[in-house]
Amino acid sequence: MGEAKKTAMFWIFVLGIVCFALVAGGVQMHIPAYLIDIGHPAIFAGTIFGSLANTVGKLILGAVLDKYGTAGGAIYVGACMTIAMAALLLAKTQAFAFLFAIAFGFSIVISTLGPPFMTNDIFGKKDFGSIFGIVQVFLWRQAHWV
């Protein structure tokens, strides 16, 4: 733990986690308003993000991370997010709005599954709890800043 906190990699990792969380949280909160602005009813825009995509997304991402590690997970999430952003550009139709919600749900779960996997990949299992505890503080604080 003491060694990890003295490395530039630790603080770059923490900064990356904070930046990711701010972007993810900042984007996510504006999606319903965007969908309303492009013509969808408020009830549709507010309820399109069901927990089903997040639940299934966590199961899939967990399997990807277990089998292919952080790099494989990053590729999977990048592909899902690319699909999500393309669908969001075409989200004037409900089909693309739903495709966006599913792909976004499959990718945004990296915010909960990614940090512990990345912490383990970068710093190993020794003092994992202490190191991840510090990383988690930055994730928790960000949730209250957005």
Side-chain angles (χ1 to χ4, degrees):
M1 175 63 190
E3 287 178 41
K5 288 193 317 187
K6 292 177 186 175
T7 65
M9 178 55 106
F10 177 80
W11 295 107
I12 291 169
F13 179 61
V14 167
L15 178 64
I17 291 290
V18 169
C19 290
F20 167 77
L22 286 171
V23 169
V27 168
Q28 193 169 2
M29 75 170 57
H30 295 288
I31 292 168
Y34 172 72
L35 292 174
I36 292 168
D37 284 350
I38 63 172
H40 292 289
I43 192 74
F44 174 81
T47 59
I48 193 170
F49 295 106
S51 62
L52 183 60
N54 286 351
T55 302
V56 173
K58 283 184 182 186
L59 294 172
I60 294 170
L61 181 57
V64 169
L65 288 167
D66 283 342
K67 186 166 183 164
Y68 301 106
T70 300
I75 292 168
Y76 165 81
V77 167
C80 288
M81 188 57 77
T82 300
I83 292 167
M85 293 301 106
L88 187 60
L89 291 172
L90 303 168
K92 200 147 179 78
T93 66
Q94 283 191 349
F96 280 108
F98 277 117
L99 177 60
F100 163 75
I102 292 166
F104 188 78
F106 279 22
S107 61
I108 199 65
V109 296
I110 192 70
S111 63
T112 55
L113 297 180
F117 274 89
M118 289 184 281
T119 301
N120 182 57
D121 281 355
I122 295 169
F123 302 106
K125 294 185 183 343
K126 184 179 179 194
D127 292 330
F128 171 83
S130 300
I131 295 169
F132 183 65
I134 291 175
V135 170
Q136 192 68 16
V137 166
F138 288 96
L139 283 168
W140 179 83
R141 292 298 307 157
Q142 176 283 137
H144 293 84
W145 295 335
V146 175

